Amino acid sequence: MKVTLNIWRQKNVSSKGRFETYEVDNIDEHISFLEMLDMLNERLLKNDQEPISFSHDCREGICGACGLFINGRAHGPMRGVTTCQLHMRMFNDNDVITIEPWRAKAFPVIKDLTVDRTALDKIMQGGGYVSVNTGGVPDANSVIIPKLIADEAFNSAVCIGCGACVATCKNASASLFTAAKVSQLALLPQGYPERKYRARNMIDVMDGLGFGNCSNTYACEVDCPKEISVLNIARMNREYLKSIFVSLYS
Amino acid sequence: MKLDAKIPKGSLGEKWDNHKFNLKLVNPANKRKFDIIVIGTGLAGASAADSLAELGYNVKVFCFQDSARRAHSIAAQGGINAAKNYQNDGDSVYRLFYDTIKGGDYRAREANVYRLAQLSSNIIDQCVAQGVPFTREYGGLLDNRSFGGAQVSRTFYAKGQTGQQLLLGTYGALCRQIELGKISYNPYHEILEYVLIDGHAKGVVTRNLLTGEIKSHAAHAVIIASGGYSNVFYLSTNAMGSNATAAWRAYKKGAYFANPCFTQIHPTCIPQAGEAQSKLTLMSESLRNDGRVWAPKSKENAEKLRKEELKPKDIPEDDRDYFLERKYPAFGNLVPRDIASRAVKEVCDEGRGIAATGLGVYLDFSDAISRLGTVAIEGRYGNLFQMYEKISGEDPYKTPMKIYPAVHYTMGGLWVDYNLMTTVPGLYALGEANFSDHGANRLGASALMQGLADGYFVIPYTIGDYLAGLGFNKVDINNPAFAEAEKNVKDKIEKLISAKGQRTPDEIHRELGKIMWEKVGMSRNEAGLKEAVEEIRRLKESFWKDIKVIGEKDNINETLEKAGRVIDFIELAEIMAIDALERPESCGCHFRLESQTEEGEAKRNDNDFTYVSAFSYEGEENEPKMHKEELKFEFVELTQRSYK
């Protein structure tokens, strides 16, 4: 296979970026998209050109490090996959592929395709946890949780923190990311004691970091590699409203 | 130096309790006077950091990733063991202990392993309290499954994403302590040097991977939880960034490195597709609960399957060899990883392998699907099947998976005593970075257990004993030892960035991986190991002449990072090969062709090799020195493992 790549190059956060065009030839269709970029980087390095910076780590779709905006889609054309799970057989010979970094005010570009996503850590620090110290907790089976509820909490908990929801949202909103954690802990009894502060605190942090609001386009659900449902956002909004209108003592 | 493991006296059940009582305590009001550095934010590092911060210590955390949540523990799929006996099937702390020590082929310490089994239950309680959504039964109680090498169901799991959910639980606790100001959080930082003052670990030198800034950090103690070194093999199931640098630089500062040759090859990974392959993907061992491993009986059929002239469903039942069930009727498809991996290799060596390369066998779910239905199988393994389909392009509900062994975990690591302290006072190693609990082979669902036991329930007790003897003075960052360490780091970076060679870090790394896989891989022999040592030494010598790095040192520069890690891998590879050479017995994952039973199984030599080998750094010009910690078995009888 052969492909033509238009790749965003940017030296650092303060410099202006531009697209550059590269051709990659002799690609086996069974290799992954990132391995194709490895081939290109290896060639650039051999020719004394600086390789393209992009984030990646586990390369099996679970760590959330990778994230490229490919032909206008976060994580590319396939549903339910991360960038590292894309394989070249999903593209055609002689395709022209445009690769950009995540673009959002809260995700400044560090270099080329690598962006700074520490804003997501900050949202989690705003309350994405249950306040229990190590030790002194009850036996694991002392609290029973209906399977349906546990499974639903799990479905929210599978978020990998890649930021695709932000990148694909026209408002650069982190609502799906935040809602996934709020939801998981609102569903589980362990999350109950702090329920009323959690949604409010996390949303306040999110708003303060420059993420936009949700306007229900559902693009986040479409591009989420873990296919997390927008219903989580509805649940988060309910949690938020309750935190305002319902007494903390009720 | 004589290695003293500091094993407490008493019966197995009393050791840890006695020890906890005898450890010195730091008064709650004094804990805030101590600074602790934690390297790595996987299960061991994050759980240590948040537990220590909760106690009141000032904790400084470093990880090379852009977020603590990306540490490679996240990729663990199958589950975590605990001796809860929730299933009423005869499990107990002693049974978990026994399975683990036997599974490790009697090359681990009894006392450590027993403590691990004791603490296993607390871990599950802790994780549930954090809101970890483990898989449950319809009655609302936690579900369990049996996992490779165990005849009881003691494995807790969150579908196929247990590592992710456990890590996010402890990452949440980390976030809470960051918010409370008890943890200073430093992602995008790499540890390049340790600072010793009067022989005690007092700090580290880091490189900020975004700005290139080299900086010293002082502390009263340093904890290494930087994971294992499977990436020495280039292709492994580890993340691309997983590296041995933090552990290796500790070795070069005086920490002994134990059992480096004990590397686990996991039987069920997706076979390699071609030269451009950058990493291998594991398919959870839990799949062997319902999947049956087979290869065609005849080479002719294998040949046709490789060429895709036949499909697996075209092979009639009688022409299939379910070789694990045939060879190990008692355990069948659930034999431990080392045994399964070698059996797969044997079949492929006989020419009966499938997949285009001939390096693969089938893992077939058709029986389980017809017995339990697609829905039940999807409930158990849905995301794993999906992951497989994405990578291979084949649907495992319709056609068997293809699998082949790959390097997955390293039982070896920094030598630690019972307190998890290395041979450098004040320097600790936790989780996969240490060597202590898995002997020569780790059982499935035990890595998560060990990482969290070390971090949540061991280090919070043992570190106090060391700190209580120190006094409250802050460590002086102006001590010349810091400036000297910084200079060493800067010199090395300068040397790398100004290197004028023609080979990329990946090219050199691939060459190293090839040597290791072929000669220090699934089976090893004297001649091959001797060659490996020579080849690795040549690679080490030519590295500085050959390496090519471009770009800047004060900006993000992945090539520079990679080059620094590759030379550390090469140096570590050398002691792996030496260790394998100097252990002519077979044990666990370490299979020496010279030492096998008539049936081709691993044959231990307990008279001569019941010890931990620990290597010390003796300077660039000298060979590393091997020390021995004799293993004493007071409570279990050493038997030849048999899973037949």
Side-chain angles (χ1 to χ4, degrees), chain A residues 11-12 28 30-32 35 38-39 42 44-60 62-65 79-81 85 87 89-90 110-111 114-118 120-122 124-126 128-147 150-151 153-155 157-162 177 181 184-185 188 190 225-227, chain B residues 50-51 54 64-70 72 74-75 77 84 86 124-126 128-142 158-159 161 164-165 168 171-173 175-179 185 187-188 210 237-242 273 276-282 386-387 389-393 456-457 502-507 510 548-552 555-556 558-559:
Chain A
K11 192 170 157 54
N12 54 41
D28 179 334
H30 291 298
I31 72 169
S32 73
E35 284 163 356
D38 290 343
M39 284 171 64
E42 195 81 349
L44 291 174
L45 184 54
K46 283 264 175 202
N47 295 331
D48 293 317
Q49 290 169 286
E50 223 176 300
I52 298 147
S53 175
F54 62 91
S55 291
H56 63 95
D57 202 17
C58 78
R59 296 210 177 181
E60 50 189 76
I62 195 72
C63 77
R79 273 191 90 149
V81 297
Q85 291 174 304
H87 281 69
R89 60 177 168 270
M90 299 158 188
I110 292 169
K111 187 180 176 185
T114 302
V115 298
D116 182 352
R117 286 169 292 188
T118 40
L120 297 181
D121 277 337
K122 295 216 169 87
M124 288 291 288
Q125 289 156 23
Y129 44 76
V130 176
S131 296
V132 290
N133 283 356
T134 304
V137 297
D139 182 86
N141 258 350
S142 65
V143 181
I144 55 169
I145 305 174
K147 185 172 173 59
D151 286 350
F154 176 86
N155 291 338
V158 295
C159 170
I160 58 173
C162 63
F177 170 81
K181 188 47 74 176
Q184 176 202 343
L185 297 177
L188 296 171
Q190 287 81 9
K226 299 294 152 186
E227 301 181 274
Chain B
D50 48 65
S51 302
E54 286 160 10
F64 73 82
Q65 298 92 342
D66 70 330
S67 167
R69 64 181 295 154
R70 310 214 196 280
H72 195 56
I74 199 109
Q77 297 168 355
K84 285 277 195 189
Y86 280 163
I124 304 303
D125 300 342
Q126 188 64 37
V128 167
Q130 289 168 343
V132 169
F134 284 113
T135 302
R136 288 175 181 268
E137 294 169 352
Y138 282 99
L141 297 175
L142 293 162
K159 284 204 178 165
Q161 280 140 277
Q164 180 197 29
Q165 293 309 316
L168 293 180
Y171 162 78
C175 287
R176 175 169 162 248
Q177 294 304 315
I178 295 169
E179 182 69 7
Y185 172 53
Y188 270 130
L210 299 184
T237 65
N238 278 191
M240 301 297 286
S242 300
Q277 186 102 22
S278 57
K279 75 152 280 172
L280 297 167
T281 301
L282 177 128
Q386 202 187 17
M387 184 197 267
E389 188 178 359
K390 279 169 197 164
I391 291 172
S392 69
Y456 281 140
F457 301 114
Q502 285 308 315
R503 299 185 77 193
T504 66
D506 275 338
E507 271 183 283
R510 266 194 290 268
K548 179 178 183 120
V549 179
I550 64 164
E552 301 151 325
N555 193 357
I556 189 166
E558 290 93 341
T559 317

Side-chain angles (χ1 to χ4, degrees), chain B residues 393-538:
Chain B
E394 292 180 340
D395 179 0
Y397 292 103
K398 300 204 176 94
T399 185
M401 287 183 179
K402 296 180 187 127
I403 52 149
Y404 194 68
V407 181
H408 171 57
Y409 184 91
T410 49
M411 280 73 68
L414 293 169
W415 185 91
V416 290
D417 63 17
Y418 189 70
N419 295 321
L420 304 182
M421 199 195 278
T422 67
T423 49
V424 175
L427 184 64
Y428 293 81
L430 274 55
E432 193 180 348
N434 75 27
F435 86 103
S436 68
D437 294 357
H438 305 297
N441 175 54
R442 180 175 66 73
L443 290 184
S446 287
L448 306 184
M449 171 171 70
Q450 186 226 338
L452 289 177
D454 286 359
Y456 281 140
F457 301 114
V458 180
I459 195 73
Y461 296 86
T462 59
I463 206 167
D465 188 59
Y466 171 74
L467 295 172
L470 284 186
F472 304 128
N473 289 338
K474 284 270 166 201
V475 176
D476 183 10
I477 196 114
N478 295 315
N479 186 300
F482 284 97
E484 194 191 327
E486 277 185 35
K487 185 176 177 303
N488 289 344
V489 167
K490 284 177 185 162
D491 288 351
K492 192 160 183 183
I493 287 173
E494 198 54 54
K495 198 172 162 191
L496 280 170
I497 204 116
S498 54
K500 295 276 182 285
Q502 285 308 315
R503 299 185 77 193
T504 66
D506 275 338
E507 271 183 283
I508 297 178
H509 194 181
R510 266 194 290 268
E511 184 181 340
L512 175 69
K514 202 155 181 284
I515 299 168
M516 295 304 284
W517 180 248
E518 282 171 7
K519 294 173 179 165
V520 198
M522 259 186 289
S523 56
R524 304 152 172 192
N525 66 44
E526 186 179 340
L529 289 166
K530 282 183 171 159
E531 283 166 24
V533 172
E534 288 311 308
E535 288 168 27
I536 294 163
R537 284 183 179 156
R538 275 203 294 278

